[in-house]
Amino acid sequence: MDKKLNLLMFSGEYDKAMAGLILANAARDIDLEVTMFFSFWGLFLVRDPETMTLEDKTIYEKLMDVITPKGPQQLPLSHLNFSGLGRMMLEEMMEEQGAPKLIHFLKGARKKNIKFYACKLSVEIMGFKPEELLPEVEIIDAAAYLKDALESDIQLFI
């Protein structure tokens, strides 16, 4: 099957990231080519907490690093988060059903060679350094993303 799915991940919320990664993994399972483009809050999904740094950052960039999720395992829910209690409840409900957590879907996407792109301008504005992102992430500009999206059969904005 020569079909392609393109996902633009704008949200930095656990449940929306789950939806995107579930679709991405399912698409790869049926032999679709998949690209995911992370912009603004979506970058937290591909932020590597192990490589975060405050070196050579402005005061605003340092503040942003301190008050935002350190990676995918700290993303809040889009609704009913209740300071993290809602996400904890959702994860327990998922565990009771034998459903994988967000981190498992992310690991699956990485193993399945889903292409991860980060928005160059978003990376710069948010104060990320390229080495703070997962190693699979390639930083591209909006024009490159649009070319990829135009070549796709399905485009989704999450």
Side-chain angles (χ1 to χ4, degrees):
M1 183 182 297
D2 292 336
K3 299 281 184 183
K4 185 174 178 179
L5 169 64
N6 176 285
L7 293 157
L8 192 158
M9 301 297 294
F10 178 77
S11 174
E13 297 162 320
Y14 188 94
D15 45 324
K16 293 177 184 178
M18 278 282 291
L21 285 167
I22 289 169
L23 290 172
N25 279 281
R28 283 299 298 140
D29 290 343
I30 61 168
D31 295 324
L32 269 67
E33 183 181 343
V34 179
T35 59
M36 299 182 80
F37 182 75
F38 301 89
S39 66
F40 288 100
W41 310 115
L43 289 170
F44 298 129
L45 183 57
V46 291
R47 179 189 234 178
D48 184 350
E50 302 298 317
T51 60
M52 286 181 57
T53 181
L54 296 178
E55 289 183 39
D56 300 322
K57 291 193 175 188
T58 68
I59 189 71
Y60 289 131
E61 291 169 344
K62 288 177 183 179
L63 184 58
M64 184 73 87
D65 277 358
V66 170
I67 63 174
T68 58
K70 307 302 179 257
Q73 301 209 76
Q74 290 188 356
L75 297 179
L77 286 181
S78 61
H79 298 284
L80 307 174
N81 189 52
F82 303 123
S83 298
L85 180 62
R87 195 189 82 220
M88 185 183 76
M89 290 171 40
L90 177 65
E91 285 181 330
E92 285 187 23
M93 293 166 65
M94 290 165 53
E95 189 173 317
E96 287 175 8
Q97 295 299 316
K101 293 182 180 179
L102 172 70
I103 196 69
H104 299 118
F105 285 107
L106 181 60
K107 286 178 183 176
R110 293 172 74 185
K111 285 181 185 175
K112 293 175 185 177
N113 296 317
I114 289 172
K115 293 178 187 166
F116 290 167
Y117 297 122
C119 173
K120 182 178 185 297
L121 185 58
S122 295
V123 167
E124 292 168 356
I125 291 172
M126 301 288 281
F128 286 97
K129 295 181 179 297
E131 59 270 15
E132 292 180 288
L133 302 174
L134 297 174
E136 296 86 356
V137 176
E138 179 183 343
I139 298 173
I140 64 173
D141 63 18
Y145 161 72
L146 290 170
K147 287 177 186 174
D148 183 74
L150 285 170
E151 294 170 359
S152 299
D153 299 287
I154 304 169
Q155 300 92 24
L156 300 173
F157 182 93
I158 298 177

